[in-house]
Amino acid sequence: MACKDCQTIRRPENGPGTLFLAPFLSHTHQTLAKRLAEQGLMVDVPAPGVLGVPVSEQGIQSLGDLLTRLMSEAEVEGCRAVFLPRGEGFGIAQLMQTQPLSTLLSRLSSDWLMDMIDDERLSFHYQPIVHIDRPAEPFAYEALMRGQMPDGTVVYPGKLLAQAKASELTFHLDRAARINAIRQAVGHGLSTPVFINFNPTTIYEPSFCLQTTVKEAEKVGVDPGQFVFEVVESEHVGDVPHLLRIINYYREKGFRVALDDLGAGYASLNLLAQLKPDFVKFDRELVSGVHEDSFKQKVLGKLVEMARDLGIQTIAEGVEHIAEWQWLQGSGVNYVQGYLFAKPATPPPMPVHPR
């Protein structure tokens, strides 16, 4: 049984009613109560440390604008908040609805993102990953997410991910991206491996949170081994045992796994031996200019050696210059990816041989 919370976005209620605020510091509580009163708002104190601020039919947004002017950014992030419609009293049932005030306000301005996720207006551009010595031959493609507004305007990943993080919609976006990446790759008729990014912090319980991903692969009727789930932001992973449970679940279902950005930090390096992914990608900062940087050459050489000893295939990403590719040809790297061979596009482009 799939988790309904992963599939349904809870839209915020919005006036009239009461916005209950619980600032982290008593000083903030006292100062905020005074400043709101000075603005002519009838502030209630329903419990010690809690403020009840009336919200008119116009909604929370104007009140939110006022609160962000009266409080520092840290105070907004540290303040717990919940909005209750008029006539609804606060009780234990509302405990799960409380959230940082910053998140509540961000979600109020995220209708465009929630609509995009619900309507599945996500598309993918594909960048080929090529054999190190046969650059015109695609080994695989990485699916790179794009959002689309109703008028056709493209929204790039940076904006999508930042808004999703601020409004706690990351796991909804990540889930929708995984499903649509599988569906669209099959729609393009790709027979090569397809790399799909995922953020492990968005997955709480693999058997629930990943069930729709597994079902999508079954629905389109392809070998799950064609899909390689790529761990992004690996340097930020704190709960390695949990990540390992996710990786093991993917593998049990027949998928393969890649570790992104190796060389970006010590954490990702430690993960290499613990997770033993099928593929590892070397961080573009390590690859950039490697042909003229002896330090990068030594680091990359050791990483390639370590991966080879563990039976892991290697990919150097961010290759943009012929000299970088030429040096990598003698490094032992298996595959390369970058603008030198093709930019991301849809439909999936064929790579070109650098001349």
Side-chain angles (χ1 to χ4, degrees), residues 165-186:
K165 182 178 180 180
S167 52
E168 293 190 356
L169 292 169
T170 305
F171 65 97
H172 295 94
L173 178 62
D174 201 71
R175 170 190 169 275
R178 293 193 303 269
I179 292 172
N180 281 277
I182 292 173
R183 187 179 301 160
Q184 292 177 34
V186 173

Side-chain angles (χ1 to χ4, degrees), residues 10-255:
R10 183 177 297 166
R11 303 267 178 160
E13 301 269 7
N14 195 4
T18 303
L19 179 63
F20 291 94
L21 303 173
F24 180 71
L25 298 175
S26 59
H27 168 74
T28 304
H29 176 276
Q30 295 166 5
T31 303
L32 182 60
K34 179 181 177 181
R35 289 177 176 175
L36 289 171
E38 290 172 350
Q39 297 293 321
L41 293 171
M42 301 295 292
V43 179
D44 186 24
V45 183
V50 178
L51 297 175
V53 187
V55 178
S56 69
E57 286 79 359
Q58 295 178 347
I60 301 175
Q61 196 61 58
S62 59
L63 175 59
D65 293 340
L66 174 62
L67 290 171
T68 55
R69 292 198 302 270
L70 299 180
M71 304 167 69
S72 69
E73 183 176 336
E75 288 173 327
V76 172
E77 292 180 357
C79 180
R80 301 298 297 183
V82 63
F83 170 78
L84 298 183
R86 184 177 293 167
E88 183 176 335
F90 185 87
I92 193 68
Q94 280 71 43
L95 184 61
M96 289 185 61
Q97 299 177 32
T98 64
Q99 57 192 309
L101 177 58
S102 58
T103 301
L104 185 150
L105 297 179
S106 179
R107 187 165 287 206
L108 285 170
S109 62
S110 296
D111 280 342
W112 65 271
L113 178 58
M114 291 185 280
D115 290 342
M116 186 181 291
I117 294 171
D118 282 343
D119 298 342
E120 296 190 336
R121 282 187 276 106
L122 297 174
S123 62
F124 289 83
H125 286 206
Y126 299 84
Q127 186 172 38
I129 299 169
V130 302
H131 295 268
I132 185 69
D133 293 320
R134 304 191 303 279
E137 178 182 333
F139 161 70
Y141 284 88
E142 180 178 357
L144 299 166
M145 177 178 63
R146 304 286 188 268
Q148 190 173 53
M149 300 297 284
D151 64 359
T153 301
V154 174
V155 184
Y156 289 92
K159 182 176 180 179
L160 289 173
L161 295 172
Q163 188 70 23
K165 182 178 180 180
S167 52
E168 293 190 356
L169 292 169
T170 305
F171 65 97
H172 295 94
L173 178 62
D174 201 71
R175 170 190 169 275
R178 293 193 303 269
I179 292 172
N180 281 277
I182 292 173
R183 187 179 301 160
Q184 292 177 34
V186 173
H188 284 297
L190 288 176
S191 58
T192 66
V194 178
F195 283 62
I196 301 173
N197 296 323
F198 84 98
N199 189 327
T201 62
T202 67
I203 298 169
Y204 299 102
E205 172 49 53
S207 61
F208 283 97
C209 297
L210 296 177
Q211 194 170 125
T212 51
T213 304
V214 173
K215 287 184 176 180
E216 187 63 33
E218 294 173 348
K219 179 181 176 181
V220 297
V222 296
D223 179 2
Q226 180 181 354
F227 298 105
V228 183
F229 284 96
E230 183 175 327
V231 182
V232 298
E233 296 191 6
S234 56
E235 70 272 22
H236 297 148
V237 173
D239 189 347
V240 175
H242 177 60
L243 176 57
L244 189 56
R245 287 194 296 271
I246 297 171
I247 299 301
N248 289 339
Y249 182 84
Y250 271 131
R251 285 178 165 153
E252 287 171 8
K253 299 302 179 181
F255 300 104

